[in-house]
Structure formats: C-alpha cells, structure tokens
Amino acid sequence: MLRSSLSSPILSVSLALLATLAASQAHARRTGLVVEGCNGCHNGGAAPGITIDLSPRNPAPGETATLQVQIAAANINVGGLYLRTGAGRLATIDGQGTKLVDEHQLVHDAPKRASGGVVRFDARWTAPGAPGGVIVEVWALSGNGDNGSRGDGASSTSAAFAYGCEGTTYYLDRDGDGHGDSGVPRIDCTQPPDHAARGGDCDDYSVNVHPDRAEACNERDDNCNGQVDEDLEVSTQYEDADGDGYGSFFGATVMAKCPPAGYAPSSNDCNDRSPLVHPDAVETCNLVDDDCDERIDEGVREVCGVGMCAREAVACTAGSCTPGAPSPEQCNGLDDDCDGEVDEDPGLCAPGGTSSASGGGASSSSGSSGAGSSGASGSGAPGPVNEGEGGSAGSGCAIDPHTGSPWRLLPLLSPLALLALRRLRRAGRVR
C-alpha cells in the first residue's frame, strides 16, 4: 500500500522543524536555509483554503472554548498544521493527532486524513482572566497522497477574536497616521497600542499616505483610492533654474497639472541661481537673505551688551560685536547705564509716579477737587501728587524745576522755527 506524502520521513522532519523553530512568521530552519511556512519542502500544488473558528465566538474571561481549523483543497488527501495564539492557553483534544509545543503553540502529531476534501483539527483554548483580544495564526499544508513532497500545497492565515466583550475591529497602524493596514485586523475590547479604528491605509509605512490625505502632484496615490494625481487643476508652473523646488517670478512659465522637470508650483524664490536660497531655507549668518523674507542675517548675528548698550554684530566673524557706551540713568523706563536695571537710582523719578515706559505699568488714583490722593509709583511707594485741577495724581516722570525745565528744549526747537520762517519769507507771506 502506498503511504501518503505526509507520512514520509521528509514531511515528518519538516513539520517538526516548523513547530519548534517557527519565528514571528513561522520560519522553519533546515540545513541553514530559511523558508517561510511549509513551502520550503512542500510545493507545486494549489494553496489550500484555511478557516479558523472559535466556539463560543466570544467566550467569557477564563472560559474554555473550542478552536476549529479546517484545511480545504481540491487534491487534498491528508493535512497538517502549526497553530499559534498570542494569549490564553492551548490544550489538545484526544483523537485529533496534535501535540503541544507550549501553551501557546500546537502542531499535528500525525497527518490527518481528509473527508470530502477537508481536513479538520480541533483544540481547546482557555481565555485569560481579563477581557481582551487574541489573534490565532495557522500555517497549514495539504498533501496529495503521492508519497512525495511535490504537488503539495501550503498556505497560512490568521483570525482575531474577543473574549469578555463583543469586540471592536482595529487595524495595525505602523506609521501612526490614524489609518491602519486592513490586512492586519485585530478584534479587542479596547484599542490596542499602535492600532487604529480605521483601516484602508495603502502604505502603512508613510504618514503622508492614507484615505484622508489630499492628493498631491507626486506620481503617488496619496489618498488610497487607486488613482494617481487625479483631480488636480491646471495651474501656472514657474521655472526653477536651481532645482530647489521653488520657482522664480521672472522665469519662464507653463500651464500644467504637475510641474514638469525644471519647474515648480511657486514663484517666490528670491535667488533662483542658488539652491540654498528659498523661502524654506534656514537663515544663517552669511550676509545673504537665505529665507527670502527681505531681511539679512536676522536673529542669527551675535548680540552683545545689555540695556541701551545692546548691539548686534556688524559682521559674522567672532569678535565683531561691540557693546554701546553706557550713559547716566534717567527716568525713562530704560536701562541707560547698562547694568540690567531700569530707573534704579534712588530719587531718580519724582514721588507719586513712574516713567511711562517702565515695566508693569504705572497706576495713579485721583481724589476730589483740591486734595489729591497719593499715586502709585513703579515700586509701589506712595507719594504726594502734583497739584492741579481736580487734584488728580499724575503718572510718569515729573519735570524737575532745575534739571527738567521745558526751556532745555529751546536749543532743539530754534532751528526748526528759523527754517519755517525762511520758507514763509520765500513764499512772500512774511516780510
């Protein structure tokens, strides 16, 4: 009598290696060669169909259910499998021809004959004590009974089940863009890490590709609808002489959906002869407007000194920054003497007020006509107010009768007055 192909020594060795050396994708190692699933030894035949079921479908936490695996093929005579779960505990059932590798792995102990073109394996599975989800993976093969490995078929599949709840389907989201790979579903009671509630991502390794992405002109299906660069409007494309992706307003133009070679959709490159200069370039200290904002070396040159002595370097070389000279402190809300403090000298600002430019704002309070109430200075110290109509307290620096007289402004205003007088005489208005 002829023995089936699954009874041959070759099959026994290959399935034993498959069970004990299976990696994350059921890799079996034989004589130093790595093969996936059973195809390394059994090939040439049609891949069998595999179905996985769990009864009850959603067991309670800690409940034991029955796992059922069916292997179907047109030419199947016998079948074998390797099964793995990610949670719970497996147990064998008598008469199924299976054995445990550990509590998460099971392999057939002897080939099982087909009935009506189907081989069925059953096993017990006990759910963990807390609600969750489990993925069951199966690698299977169908033997044609010719006592050899040629003409056999192999395939693999997986199924997801929830225990302790009805379960929701989630999808592995490798790139974290909110859309997962529909080919890697998982059913669970809560959303697992690195999974998304929506599938349909046609490139789950790129955050720029998913069903909600707007289509861009890049010869790629950005929105996963099976089309490339569709529904793009014809627009002006500008010559990009330096190839930095930014065109020049003064160069040649063409009308197209996508920019041809040597063109770009924008026209804001301020130097189309240098690929290092464009609106998205990083400004560096080089006496050049790198980012096309009409400013040179802004925010990147060395700054030295504090207060009114702060200066920006005149060049990009080290040591080219010289602080300004300090001046006597005045009541003006500025650090005139460059010591890091503002209006700090005692008695500099008159009692009852602060400089109008001092930080935190100066406040004052007004009283009834005649007697004024004390105003708030920058330091919070009360003081008398200037007398005047309404008796209100003034804010700002008071004018000292000796050093702050308005007559000090006369030398500054006189030239302006003389200039105005000359113009009036030329116009004939003043003789």
Side-chain angles (χ1 to χ4, degrees):
M1 176 185 294
L2 292 175
R3 294 182 301 166
S4 70
S5 62
L6 283 176
S7 299
S8 67
I10 295 176
L11 179 60
S12 300
V13 172
S14 66
L15 288 173
L17 289 170
L18 173 64
T20 58
L21 299 175
S24 61
Q25 294 185 342
H27 285 185
R29 184 176 297 275
R30 180 180 175 89
T31 63
L33 299 176
V34 177
V35 293
E36 184 171 350
C38 308
N39 290 305
C41 297
H42 299 271
N43 52 60
I50 306 172
T51 58
I52 306 173
D53 202 3
L54 184 66
S55 180
R57 187 78 176 180
N58 301 109
E63 182 180 359
T64 297
T66 300
L67 266 173
Q68 181 186 101
V69 179
Q70 294 191 85
I71 309 166
N75 65 338
I76 190 171
N77 186 282
V78 290
L81 90 166
Y82 163 67
L83 182 149
R84 183 172 64 199
T85 64
R89 301 190 314 275
L90 286 169
T92 59
I93 297 177
D94 291 342
Q96 293 297 310
T98 58
K99 64 179 181 180
L100 289 178
V101 178
D102 56 35
E103 65 178 11
H104 298 301
Q105 300 178 87
L106 177 148
V107 67
H108 79 275
D109 190 31
K112 194 171 186 179
R113 288 204 166 273
S115 175
V118 176
V119 174
R120 171 177 163 176
F121 289 95
D122 290 349
R124 300 292 185 199
W125 179 75
T126 302
V134 62
I135 295 178
V136 180
E137 301 170 282
V138 171
W139 290 263
L141 61 87
S142 61
N144 58 12
D146 66 353
N147 205 28
S149 61
R150 302 291 296 175
D152 298 338
S155 63
S156 63
T157 192
S158 64
F161 304 96
Y163 48 92
C165 66
E166 289 296 322
T168 301
T169 301
Y170 301 97
Y171 305 92
L172 180 62
D173 185 12
R174 303 177 185 89
D175 54 16
D177 60 7
H179 294 265
D181 185 347
S182 296
V184 191
R186 174 173 180 167
I187 299 177
D188 213 313
C189 300
T190 57
Q191 184 168 332
D194 301 322
H195 284 69
R198 295 177 292 178
D201 197 332
C202 55
D203 184 354
D204 204 34
Y205 295 94
S206 173
V207 295
N208 295 319
V209 177
H210 54 76
D212 287 341
R213 185 76 177 182
E215 193 70 14
C217 189
N218 54 14
E219 298 182 356
R220 183 173 61 186
D221 181 12
D222 303 279
N223 56 9
C224 297
N225 67 348
Q227 303 179 61
V228 175
D229 297 346
E230 76 280 3
D231 300 331
L232 298 177
E233 297 182 358
V234 175
S235 60
T236 304
Q237 311 294 333
Y238 300 87
E239 184 179 11
D240 179 17
D242 55 13
D244 60 5
Y246 298 84
S248 171
F249 181 79
F250 302 100
T253 60
V254 296
M255 300 298 294
K257 284 186 176 182
C258 298
Y263 286 80
S266 63
S267 62
N268 52 353
D269 195 335
C270 57
N271 184 356
D272 206 31
R273 296 181 300 277
S274 172
L276 301 179
V277 176
H278 54 75
D280 284 335
V282 177
E283 190 75 15
T284 59
C285 194
N286 55 8
L287 304 179
V288 173
D289 179 12
D290 302 282
D291 55 6
C292 296
D293 64 352
E294 299 182 352
R295 297 182 295 169
I296 295 177
D297 299 342
E298 71 279 3
V300 295
R301 288 194 186 183
E302 180 186 2
V303 176
C304 56
V306 297
M308 295 301 291
C309 300
R311 298 291 187 273
E312 187 179 67
V314 297
C316 296
T317 55
S320 62
C321 185
T322 303
S327 59
E329 192 72 11
Q330 301 182 37
C331 183
N332 55 8
L334 303 174
D335 179 15
D336 303 282
D337 57 3
C338 308
D339 62 353
E341 298 184 69
V342 176
D343 299 345
E344 73 277 10
D345 294 346
L348 181 64
C349 293
T354 63
S355 64
S356 58
S358 61
S363 61
S364 63
S365 58
S366 60
S368 59
S369 176
S373 62
S374 62
S377 67
S379 60
V385 300
N386 297 327
E387 294 183 359
E389 294 183 5
S392 62
S395 64
C397 296
I399 298 178
D400 185 85
H402 301 289
T403 62
S405 172
W407 293 106
R408 298 175 63 191
L409 299 177
L410 185 59
L412 298 176
L413 298 177
S414 297
L416 298 177
L418 292 175
L419 180 60
L421 183 60
R422 287 180 182 177
R423 289 184 177 179
L424 290 173
R425 286 177 174 176
R426 289 177 183 176
R429 299 180 181 177
V430 177
R431 299 184 181 274

